[in-house]
Amino acid sequence: MVVGMDGSESSMRAAAYAGGLARRQNALLAVVYVQPVLAAGAALGAPVAETTDEIAEDLIAHIRAATERVKGIFDVRWEFHTFRGDAYNGLVTAADELKADAVVVGASEQAGHRIIGSVAVRLVKAGRWPVTVVP
C-alpha cells in the first residue's frame, strides 16, 4: 500500500488512515514523499534540493516518532521512499515500482486544484489502482 505524504495536514491524516488499513490487512505500508523539482527556484539560486531533503528527513523523523508512540499497541510494517518530480508522476512511479495494491492520498488543500484538478483526482482517473482520498 502506498501513501503520499508532503507534510500537509491532509497527508498526515492520509498516512494515519493508511497505517490503520495496513495494520488490519497486515500489509507493508510504503510512505512516499515526492521531492518537487523547482527549476525556477534553482535558477534563482535557491537551495531547492537541500530544502526538499530537509522536508524528507523531517517526515522520516515524524513517522518514526509516531510509530514509537504506538509500539506494542499497533504494529505496522512500513518503509519510506523519496522520488523526485511532480507529485502525480512521482506517486505513479512509486505505485508502479513498488507494485502497490492501493494508493492513499490526502485531499488537496489548494484552491487552484478545484480548477485544474488535484493529484488525487488524476490518480483516480488513471484507474490503475484503488485510490482512497482522505479529507
Side-chain angles (χ1 to χ4, degrees):
M1 180 174 313
V2 166
V3 60
M5 281 190 70
D6 62 5
S8 67
E9 286 297 317
S10 66
S11 75
M12 296 298 189
R13 288 190 297 270
Y17 182 84
L21 286 176
R23 180 183 55 81
R24 287 187 295 280
Q25 297 175 9
N26 195 29
L28 175 64
L29 179 61
V31 179
V32 175
Y33 169 61
V34 181
Q35 294 178 307
V37 177
L38 304 172
L44 296 172
V48 174
E50 292 171 13
T51 302
T52 58
D53 286 344
E54 289 174 18
I55 293 169
E57 291 301 319
D58 284 348
L59 286 173
I60 293 170
H62 185 77
I63 294 164
R64 283 199 175 114
T67 57
E68 283 301 313
R69 284 193 301 272
V70 297
K71 195 172 189 171
I73 302 169
F74 302 114
D75 289 323
V76 176
R77 296 178 304 124
W78 65 276
E79 55 191 30
F80 186 82
H81 299 271
T82 59
F83 292 84
R84 290 193 186 271
D86 68 278
Y88 171 75
N89 287 316
L91 287 171
V92 166
T93 300
D96 284 343
E97 287 183 11
L98 301 171
K99 299 183 182 359
D101 292 320
V103 177
V104 180
V105 293
S108 175
E109 296 176 348
Q110 297 180 6
H113 286 170
R114 291 187 185 104
I115 300 166
I116 60 171
S118 67
V119 171
V121 169
R122 292 172 63 195
L123 287 168
V124 170
K125 286 182 179 180
R128 293 163 64 178
W129 325 267
V131 177
T132 302
V133 182
V134 177

